[in-house]
Amino acid sequence: MNIAVSRIEGFAQPGGTLSSAVHKLNLQQISNLNGVKRRLTKNSILLHEEDEIKHVYEVVSGTVKALKFLADGRRQIIGFFGAGDIIGLPLETSAFYSIQAVKNTVVLCYPISQLDAAMGHSSALTKFIFGLVHSELERHLDHMISLGRKRPKERMAAFLLTYYKKQLVTGVTDMVIELPMSRVDIADYLGLTQETVCRVLGHFKRNNLIAAKNSHEIKILDLPHLEYIAQSGVLH
Amino acid sequence: MNIAVSRIEGFAQPGGTLSSAVHKLNLQQISNLNGVKRRLTKNSILLHEEDEIKHVYEVVSGTVKALKFLADGRRQIIGFFGAGDIIGLPLETSAFYSIQAVKNTVVLCYPISQLDAAMGHSSALTKFIFGLVHSELERHLDHMISLGRKRPKERMAAFLLTYYKKQLVTGVTDMVIELPMSRVDIADYLGLTQETVCRVLGHFKRNNLIAAKNSHEIKILDLPHLEYIAQSGVLH
DNA sequence: CGCATGATTGAAGTACGTCAACTCTTGTGG
DNA sequence: CCACAAGAGTTGACGTACTTCAATCATGCG
């Protein structure tokens, strides 16, 4: 098994709605296992697509990206995982994608064998894992409809909102979101080119939907409008 | 929990490679539960996106599609599920997508509550379910890279090959594959328009990669070339 | 047989990609 | 601390692959 899951807020949280309360659950607490700390420098690779999966990872700080390659070098980024997110699932098999550090990152490594055993004893842990799968699956479906049917502006708006909501859940009410990844990474996540990403962001800026302190810090000025674009994408 | 999984060949089958042996496992056998048979007429809806999930479904005959909608009617088809495929997972939550019959279809319905209980007793069933999740997850990732980074010809070639491989697994060595869904459905699965789907198929025909008995039966003439296109997409 | 639906083909438009120049940022070493 | 280089980000001009619009052709069901 090999999946990556974002931090979950409560079990089996339906829809993309925001959780009212933050469950400060992490793998360490719920599994009673001690993850081994590992430091990753920017761009270093935690896992290759062909590798055998031996660990589940929990991001402590920093950000990593999960990505797949085509033969000619084209990339599709499956997801970004920041502090609190968990990557991988306790069932042995080869990897589906590579994992690479977006910037200097610290992760905790849990051997799959240990987690597997722990799941046998703890139904709470099993439920927790299923909850993670649930979140990740929902994320995949949203990503698919983005890639298949949304226009660049809608994809970008949805992307920004995802980050906004993610940090809302952690209690940060600031309208400034941090995008640690490069424009190329965003492009490879959204199925666009870096130029298109820039132009869409430029468009949002000119229309006062967002403002940019620098290229990695975006302030959301018009949340409702962005949500409108993200969902139906009528405006241009 | 709410996921859809294609028929699995052995547990945790890695990669998209073909299984050597067919495991004739189905939910009925492994869970010792009796699914309730339900008949669906073409285009009838088994499940709405907002519905609460109460059952896991196993397709007996026919084909259904899982799809998501945008506000303005745009559709993204997540997957097609034919005989032997299982849809849904035993964890209660609302649905992520709608399920609709592509043609007249028979499904077996298993109440989630029963499956949930059965999983508590049977680790084999739990493993089976995890195997299904595994397959489905891999399918999602391939779908994402298709939607995000592949060109129409590559997407279509990959789509045809998926069907070819699927029936190979069931023991059918014929080069003729059946595509029960419409061109529009294929388009909504591949993130294209129906016209583009037609044109790509036309291109394949003119280049003797495939031949068409009728619009729903495609004969594969040049498997290696199709595989080449599907993977690196250099030819045009 | 006839209408409705689906499939195909053609012509025209455009949104996004490609190519290229330029700017801004970041890091490094003198 | 500044100079410079290397990388990342942005913007513009241009091309084109795919979509859109429209017409025609098949298919199938009453």
Side-chain angles (χ1 to χ4, degrees):
Chain A
M1 182 73 42
N2 164 32
I3 64 156
V5 280
S6 285
R7 179 209 297 272
I8 181 173
E9 322 92 47
F11 292 144
Q13 188 72 20
T17 57
L18 297 175
S19 171
S20 50
V22 181
H23 290 235
K24 270 283 180 191
L25 286 169
N26 62 36
L27 214 47
Q28 181 112 2
Q29 290 167 349
I30 199 146
S31 69
N32 277 325
L33 296 172
N34 285 315
V36 175
K37 195 174 280 188
R38 182 160 163 194
R39 290 172 196 283
L40 305 169
T41 57
K42 181 173 175 175
N43 293 325
S44 69
I45 292 178
L46 178 57
L47 188 75
H48 277 97
E49 196 165 335
E50 323 77 36
D51 290 350
E52 190 191 347
I53 301 261
K54 295 198 178 103
H55 298 89
V56 168
Y57 305 100
E58 181 173 9
V59 179
V60 176
S61 67
T63 303
V64 299
K65 58 194 175 195
L67 39 83
K68 282 176 83 76
F69 290 90
L70 289 179
D72 60 1
R74 278 175 283 176
R75 310 186 312 163
Q76 176 64 47
I77 292 182
I78 304 301
F80 298 102
F81 301 91
D85 293 340
I86 293 165
I87 314 171
L89 240 220
L91 268 182
E92 78 288 52
T93 142
S94 64
F96 287 152
Y97 44 65
S98 308
I99 301 177
Q100 188 176 12
V102 168
K103 58 181 193 176
N104 290 348
T105 299
V106 177
V107 296
L108 290 173
C109 308
Y110 300 86
I112 279 188
S113 54
Q114 287 182 24
L115 260 180
D116 223 356
M119 279 178 67
H121 310 133
S122 162
S123 74
L125 178 58
T126 306
K127 271 205 165 163
F128 180 70
I129 297 291
F130 266 85
L132 294 177
V133 178
H134 177 271
S135 307
E136 184 65 356
L137 232 71
E138 183 183 16
R139 206 180 58 75
H140 286 178
L141 299 184
D142 283 340
H143 201 177
M144 275 188 237
I145 197 168
S146 249
L147 293 171
R149 284 296 174 229
K150 285 188 182 171
R151 337 207 96 211
K153 281 167 195 162
E154 307 170 56
R155 297 185 203 185
M156 194 69 206
F159 180 72
L160 295 175
L161 289 174
T162 301
Y163 266 80
Y164 171 70
K165 287 176 181 168
K166 207 171 180 179
Q167 85 174 16
L168 243 197
V169 167
T170 67
V172 183
T173 58
D174 196 356
M175 297 309 283
V176 176
I177 56 177
E178 201 215 330
L179 302 178
M181 72 295 291
S182 71
R183 295 292 189 260
V184 177
D185 279 348
I186 296 176
D188 282 337
Y189 179 79
L190 297 178
L192 305 169
T193 60
Q194 57 173 327
E195 292 93 334
T196 300
V197 168
C198 276
R199 277 187 256 266
V200 171
L201 286 174
H203 172 87
F204 285 171
K205 284 176 205 161
R206 280 191 299 282
N207 289 68
N208 294 315
L209 303 179
I210 62 171
K213 257 182 123 101
N214 58 61
S215 62
H216 292 286
E217 285 180 287
I218 306 284
K219 179 166 190 176
I220 294 179
L221 300 177
D222 193 339
L223 187 61
H225 198 155
L226 276 178
E227 280 176 331
Y228 181 68
I229 293 177
Q231 271 164 31
S232 65
V234 176
L235 272 133
H236 56 273
Chain B
M1 182 72 44
N2 163 34
I3 65 156
V5 282
S6 285
R7 179 208 297 272
I8 181 173
E9 320 94 47
F11 292 143
Q13 189 71 21
T17 56
L18 298 174
S19 171
S20 49
V22 181
H23 289 236
K24 270 283 179 189
L25 285 169
N26 62 34
L27 213 48
Q28 180 110 3
Q29 290 168 350
I30 201 150
S31 69
N32 277 324
L33 296 173
N34 286 315
V36 175
K37 196 175 279 187
R38 182 160 165 195
R39 290 172 197 285
L40 305 170
T41 58
K42 181 172 175 175
N43 291 326
S44 70
I45 292 179
L46 177 58
L47 189 75
H48 278 97
E49 196 166 336
E50 323 78 35
D51 289 350
E52 190 190 346
I53 302 261
K54 295 197 178 105
H55 299 90
V56 169
Y57 305 101
E58 180 173 10
V59 179
V60 175
S61 66
T63 303
V64 299
K65 58 193 174 195
L67 35 75
K68 280 177 85 77
F69 291 90
L70 288 180
D72 60 1
R74 278 175 283 175
R75 310 186 311 162
Q76 177 64 46
I77 292 183
I78 305 301
F80 298 102
F81 301 91
D85 292 340
I86 293 164
I87 313 171
L89 240 220
L91 269 183
E92 79 286 50
T93 144
S94 64
F96 286 153
Y97 44 66
S98 308
I99 302 178
Q100 188 176 13
V102 167
K103 58 180 194 177
N104 290 348
T105 300
V106 178
V107 296
L108 290 173
C109 308
Y110 300 87
I112 279 187
S113 54
Q114 288 181 24
L115 260 179
D116 224 355
M119 278 178 66
H121 310 133
S122 163
S123 75
L125 178 58
T126 305
K127 271 205 164 164
F128 180 70
I129 297 291
F130 266 85
L132 295 177
V133 178
H134 177 270
S135 305
E136 185 65 355
L137 232 71
E138 182 182 17
R139 207 180 58 71
H140 285 178
L141 299 184
D142 282 341
H143 201 177
M144 275 189 238
I145 197 167
S146 250
L147 293 171
R149 284 297 175 226
K150 285 188 182 172
R151 338 204 97 210
K153 281 167 194 163
E154 307 168 56
R155 296 186 205 186
M156 184 57 88
F159 180 72
L160 295 175
L161 289 173
T162 301
Y163 266 80
Y164 170 70
K165 287 174 182 169
K166 207 171 180 179
Q167 82 174 16
L168 243 196
V169 167
T170 67
V172 183
T173 58
D174 197 355
M175 296 310 282
V176 176
I177 56 177
E178 202 215 331
L179 302 178
M181 71 295 292
S182 71
R183 295 292 189 260
V184 178
D185 279 349
I186 297 176
D188 282 337
Y189 179 79
L190 297 178
L192 305 169
T193 60
Q194 56 174 328
E195 293 93 334
T196 301
V197 168
C198 275
R199 279 186 252 268
V200 171
L201 286 174
H203 173 86
F204 285 172
K205 285 176 204 161
R206 280 190 300 282
N207 288 70
N208 295 314
L209 303 179
I210 62 171
K213 257 181 125 101
N214 58 59
S215 63
H216 291 287
E217 286 180 286
I218 305 285
K219 180 166 189 176
I220 294 178
L221 301 178
D222 193 339
L223 187 60
H225 198 156
L226 275 178
E227 280 177 329
Y228 181 68
I229 293 176
Q231 271 164 32
S232 65
V234 176
L235 272 132
H236 55 272

Short mmCIF file of all heavy atoms in Angstrom, two decimals, chain A residues 165-201:
data_model
loop_
_atom_site.label_atom_id
_atom_site.label_comp_id
_atom_site.label_asym_id
_atom_site.label_seq_id
_atom_site.Cartn_x
_atom_site.Cartn_y
_atom_site.Cartn_z
N LYS A 165 -7.52 27.16 3.40
CA LYS A 165 -8.33 26.34 4.30
C LYS A 165 -7.48 25.46 5.19
O LYS A 165 -7.80 25.22 6.34
CB LYS A 165 -9.29 25.47 3.48
CG LYS A 165 -10.42 26.27 2.86
CD LYS A 165 -11.29 25.40 1.97
CE LYS A 165 -12.41 26.25 1.36
NZ LYS A 165 -13.11 25.53 0.27
N LYS A 166 -6.39 24.98 4.62
CA LYS A 166 -5.49 24.12 5.37
C LYS A 166 -4.96 24.84 6.59
O LYS A 166 -4.90 24.27 7.69
CB LYS A 166 -4.35 23.69 4.45
CG LYS A 166 -3.72 22.37 4.82
CD LYS A 166 -2.76 21.95 3.72
CE LYS A 166 -2.10 20.63 4.07
NZ LYS A 166 -1.18 20.21 2.99
N GLN A 167 -4.57 26.08 6.40
CA GLN A 167 -4.00 26.79 7.55
C GLN A 167 -5.10 27.33 8.46
O GLN A 167 -4.87 27.54 9.65
CB GLN A 167 -3.05 27.89 7.09
CG GLN A 167 -3.68 29.21 6.73
CD GLN A 167 -2.58 30.25 6.43
OE1 GLN A 167 -1.42 29.92 6.20
NE2 GLN A 167 -2.95 31.51 6.45
N LEU A 168 -6.31 27.50 7.94
CA LEU A 168 -7.44 27.87 8.79
C LEU A 168 -7.67 26.76 9.82
O LEU A 168 -7.91 27.03 10.99
CB LEU A 168 -8.70 28.03 7.95
CG LEU A 168 -9.38 29.39 7.86
CD1 LEU A 168 -10.79 29.25 7.35
CD2 LEU A 168 -9.34 30.13 9.18
N VAL A 169 -7.58 25.54 9.35
CA VAL A 169 -7.80 24.39 10.22
C VAL A 169 -6.79 24.36 11.36
O VAL A 169 -7.10 23.96 12.47
CB VAL A 169 -7.71 23.07 9.39
CG1 VAL A 169 -7.61 21.87 10.31
CG2 VAL A 169 -8.92 22.95 8.49
N THR A 170 -5.58 24.81 11.08
CA THR A 170 -4.57 24.83 12.13
C THR A 170 -4.70 26.03 13.03
O THR A 170 -3.89 26.24 13.91
CB THR A 170 -3.14 24.81 11.53
OG1 THR A 170 -2.94 26.06 10.84
CG2 THR A 170 -2.98 23.67 10.54
N GLY A 171 -5.72 26.85 12.79
CA GLY A 171 -6.00 27.95 13.70
C GLY A 171 -5.49 29.30 13.24
O GLY A 171 -5.75 30.31 13.86
N VAL A 172 -4.76 29.31 12.13
CA VAL A 172 -4.24 30.59 11.61
C VAL A 172 -5.33 31.28 10.81
O VAL A 172 -5.84 30.74 9.84
CB VAL A 172 -3.01 30.35 10.71
CG1 VAL A 172 -2.43 31.68 10.25
CG2 VAL A 172 -1.96 29.52 11.44
N THR A 173 -5.70 32.48 11.25
CA THR A 173 -6.79 33.18 10.57
C THR A 173 -6.26 34.24 9.62
O THR A 173 -7.03 34.96 8.99
CB THR A 173 -7.73 33.84 11.59
OG1 THR A 173 -6.96 34.75 12.38
CG2 THR A 173 -8.38 32.80 12.48
N ASP A 174 -4.95 34.33 9.51
CA ASP A 174 -4.33 35.32 8.63
C ASP A 174 -4.75 35.04 7.18
O ASP A 174 -4.98 33.91 6.78
CB ASP A 174 -2.82 35.21 8.77
CG ASP A 174 -2.13 36.43 8.20
OD1 ASP A 174 -2.83 37.29 7.64
OD2 ASP A 174 -0.89 36.52 8.33
N MET A 175 -4.87 36.10 6.40
CA MET A 175 -5.22 35.93 4.99
C MET A 175 -3.99 35.70 4.12
O MET A 175 -4.10 35.54 2.91
CB MET A 175 -5.98 37.17 4.48
CG MET A 175 -7.31 37.41 5.18
SD MET A 175 -8.36 35.95 5.21
CE MET A 175 -8.96 35.95 3.53
N VAL A 176 -2.82 35.72 4.74
CA VAL A 176 -1.60 35.48 3.98
C VAL A 176 -1.27 33.99 3.99
O VAL A 176 -1.18 33.37 5.05
CB VAL A 176 -0.41 36.28 4.56
CG1 VAL A 176 0.87 35.93 3.81
CG2 VAL A 176 -0.69 37.77 4.50
N ILE A 177 -1.13 33.43 2.81
CA ILE A 177 -0.74 32.02 2.74
C ILE A 177 0.67 31.92 2.20
O ILE A 177 1.13 32.76 1.43
CB ILE A 177 -1.70 31.21 1.83
CG1 ILE A 177 -1.76 31.82 0.44
CG2 ILE A 177 -3.08 31.13 2.45
CD1 ILE A 177 -2.62 31.03 -0.51
N GLU A 178 1.33 30.86 2.63
CA GLU A 178 2.69 30.64 2.18
C GLU A 178 2.71 29.51 1.18
O GLU A 178 2.17 28.42 1.44
CB GLU A 178 3.59 30.29 3.38
CG GLU A 178 5.06 30.54 3.12
CD GLU A 178 5.93 29.50 3.80
OE1 GLU A 178 5.53 28.99 4.86
OE2 GLU A 178 7.01 29.20 3.24
N LEU A 179 3.29 29.77 0.02
CA LEU A 179 3.42 28.74 -1.01
C LEU A 179 4.90 28.40 -1.12
O LEU A 179 5.64 29.08 -1.83
CB LEU A 179 2.90 29.25 -2.35
CG LEU A 179 1.45 29.72 -2.40
CD1 LEU A 179 1.12 30.25 -3.79
CD2 LEU A 179 0.50 28.62 -2.01
N PRO A 180 5.34 27.34 -0.45
CA PRO A 180 6.78 27.08 -0.41
C PRO A 180 7.35 26.60 -1.74
O PRO A 180 8.55 26.70 -1.95
CB PRO A 180 6.89 25.97 0.66
CG PRO A 180 5.55 25.35 0.72
CD PRO A 180 4.56 26.40 0.35
N MET A 181 6.49 26.12 -2.61
CA MET A 181 7.01 25.52 -3.86
C MET A 181 7.20 26.55 -4.96
O MET A 181 6.67 27.66 -4.91
CB MET A 181 6.06 24.41 -4.32
CG MET A 181 4.73 24.87 -4.88
SD MET A 181 3.66 25.71 -3.68
CE MET A 181 3.22 24.33 -2.62
N SER A 182 7.96 26.17 -5.97
CA SER A 182 8.24 27.08 -7.08
C SER A 182 7.05 27.16 -8.04
O SER A 182 6.12 26.36 -7.97
CB SER A 182 9.46 26.59 -7.86
OG SER A 182 9.13 25.41 -8.57
N ARG A 183 7.10 28.12 -8.95
CA ARG A 183 6.05 28.25 -9.97
C ARG A 183 5.99 27.00 -10.84
O ARG A 183 4.92 26.58 -11.27
CB ARG A 183 6.32 29.48 -10.83
CG ARG A 183 6.23 30.79 -10.05
CD ARG A 183 4.81 31.07 -9.61
NE ARG A 183 4.67 32.41 -9.06
CZ ARG A 183 4.64 32.69 -7.77
NH1 ARG A 183 4.74 31.74 -6.87
NH2 ARG A 183 4.48 33.95 -7.37
N VAL A 184 7.14 26.45 -11.14
CA VAL A 184 7.18 25.24 -11.96
C VAL A 184 6.47 24.09 -11.23
O VAL A 184 5.72 23.33 -11.85
CB VAL A 184 8.64 24.83 -12.28
CG1 VAL A 184 8.67 23.52 -13.07
CG2 VAL A 184 9.33 25.93 -13.06
N ASP A 185 6.70 24.00 -9.94
CA ASP A 185 6.03 22.96 -9.16
C ASP A 185 4.51 23.15 -9.18
O ASP A 185 3.75 22.20 -9.34
CB ASP A 185 6.52 22.96 -7.71
CG ASP A 185 7.85 22.22 -7.56
OD1 ASP A 185 8.25 21.54 -8.51
OD2 ASP A 185 8.46 22.34 -6.49
N ILE A 186 4.08 24.39 -9.01
CA ILE A 186 2.64 24.66 -9.06
C ILE A 186 2.10 24.26 -10.43
O ILE A 186 1.05 23.62 -10.54
CB ILE A 186 2.36 26.16 -8.79
CG1 ILE A 186 2.79 26.53 -7.37
CG2 ILE A 186 0.88 26.47 -8.99
CD1 ILE A 186 2.64 28.01 -7.05
N ALA A 187 2.85 24.62 -11.47
CA ALA A 187 2.44 24.27 -12.83
C ALA A 187 2.32 22.76 -12.99
O ALA A 187 1.34 22.26 -13.55
CB ALA A 187 3.43 24.84 -13.84
N ASP A 188 3.28 22.03 -12.48
CA ASP A 188 3.26 20.58 -12.61
C ASP A 188 2.19 19.94 -11.73
O ASP A 188 1.79 18.81 -11.95
CB ASP A 188 4.64 19.99 -12.29
CG ASP A 188 5.61 20.17 -13.44
OD1 ASP A 188 5.15 20.32 -14.58
OD2 ASP A 188 6.83 20.16 -13.20
N TYR A 189 1.76 20.65 -10.73
CA TYR A 189 0.64 20.17 -9.92
C TYR A 189 -0.68 20.41 -10.64
O TYR A 189 -1.56 19.55 -10.65
CB TYR A 189 0.64 20.85 -8.55
CG TYR A 189 -0.49 20.44 -7.65
CD1 TYR A 189 -0.44 19.23 -6.95
CD2 TYR A 189 -1.62 21.24 -7.50
CE1 TYR A 189 -1.48 18.84 -6.13
CE2 TYR A 189 -2.67 20.86 -6.68
CZ TYR A 189 -2.59 19.65 -6.00
OH TYR A 189 -3.63 19.27 -5.19
N LEU A 190 -0.79 21.57 -11.26
CA LEU A 190 -2.06 21.97 -11.87
C LEU A 190 -2.19 21.57 -13.33
O LEU A 190 -3.21 21.83 -13.97
CB LEU A 190 -2.24 23.49 -11.75
CG LEU A 190 -2.34 24.05 -10.33
CD1 LEU A 190 -2.46 25.56 -10.36
CD2 LEU A 190 -3.54 23.44 -9.60
N GLY A 191 -1.16 20.94 -13.87
CA GLY A 191 -1.21 20.53 -15.28
C GLY A 191 -1.11 21.71 -16.23
O GLY A 191 -1.74 21.72 -17.29
N LEU A 192 -0.32 22.71 -15.86
CA LEU A 192 -0.15 23.90 -16.68
C LEU A 192 1.33 24.15 -16.93
O LEU A 192 2.16 23.33 -16.57
CB LEU A 192 -0.77 25.12 -15.96
CG LEU A 192 -2.24 25.01 -15.54
CD1 LEU A 192 -2.60 26.16 -14.61
CD2 LEU A 192 -3.12 24.99 -16.76
N THR A 193 1.65 25.30 -17.53
CA THR A 193 3.05 25.71 -17.64
C THR A 193 3.31 26.79 -16.60
O THR A 193 2.38 27.44 -16.11
CB THR A 193 3.35 26.28 -19.03
OG1 THR A 193 2.52 27.42 -19.24
CG2 THR A 193 3.10 25.25 -20.11
N GLN A 194 4.58 27.00 -16.31
CA GLN A 194 4.91 28.03 -15.33
C GLN A 194 4.45 29.41 -15.81
O GLN A 194 4.05 30.25 -15.02
CB GLN A 194 6.40 28.02 -15.02
CG GLN A 194 7.29 28.22 -16.23
CD GLN A 194 8.76 28.38 -15.82
OE1 GLN A 194 9.06 28.92 -14.76
NE2 GLN A 194 9.66 27.90 -16.66
N GLU A 195 4.53 29.64 -17.13
CA GLU A 195 4.10 30.93 -17.67
C GLU A 195 2.62 31.17 -17.40
O GLU A 195 2.21 32.27 -17.00
CB GLU A 195 4.38 30.99 -19.17
CG GLU A 195 5.85 31.01 -19.56
CD GLU A 195 6.38 29.62 -19.83
OE1 GLU A 195 5.82 28.67 -19.28
OE2 GLU A 195 7.36 29.50 -20.59
N THR A 196 1.83 30.15 -17.62
CA THR A 196 0.39 30.29 -17.38
C THR A 196 0.12 30.55 -15.91
O THR A 196 -0.73 31.38 -15.56
CB THR A 196 -0.36 29.03 -17.85
OG1 THR A 196 -0.12 28.86 -19.25
CG2 THR A 196 -1.85 29.15 -17.62
N VAL A 197 0.84 29.86 -15.04
CA VAL A 197 0.69 30.09 -13.60
C VAL A 197 0.97 31.56 -13.29
O VAL A 197 0.19 32.22 -12.60
CB VAL A 197 1.63 29.17 -12.80
CG1 VAL A 197 1.70 29.60 -11.34
CG2 VAL A 197 1.16 27.72 -12.90
N CYS A 198 2.06 32.07 -13.82
CA CYS A 198 2.42 33.48 -13.59
C CYS A 198 1.33 34.42 -14.10
O CYS A 198 0.95 35.37 -13.42
CB CYS A 198 3.72 33.82 -14.31
SG CYS A 198 5.19 33.39 -13.39
N ARG A 199 0.87 34.14 -15.30
CA ARG A 199 -0.13 35.02 -15.89
C ARG A 199 -1.44 35.01 -15.10
O ARG A 199 -2.07 36.05 -14.90
CB ARG A 199 -0.39 34.61 -17.34
CG ARG A 199 0.65 35.18 -18.28
CD ARG A 199 0.29 34.91 -19.73
NE ARG A 199 1.09 33.85 -20.28
CZ ARG A 199 2.23 34.03 -20.96
NH1 ARG A 199 2.68 35.24 -21.14
NH2 ARG A 199 2.90 33.01 -21.44
N VAL A 200 -1.85 33.85 -14.64
CA VAL A 200 -3.08 33.77 -13.85
C VAL A 200 -2.91 34.52 -12.54
O VAL A 200 -3.78 35.30 -12.14
CB VAL A 200 -3.47 32.30 -13.59
CG1 VAL A 200 -4.61 32.24 -12.59
CG2 VAL A 200 -3.86 31.62 -14.89
N LEU A 201 -1.77 34.34 -11.90
CA LEU A 201 -1.52 35.07 -10.66
C LEU A 201 -1.49 36.57 -10.94
O LEU A 201 -2.02 37.37 -10.16
CB LEU A 201 -0.20 34.61 -10.03
CG LEU A 201 -0.23 33.22 -9.38
CD1 LEU A 201 1.16 32.81 -8.91
CD2 LEU A 201 -1.20 33.21 -8.20
#
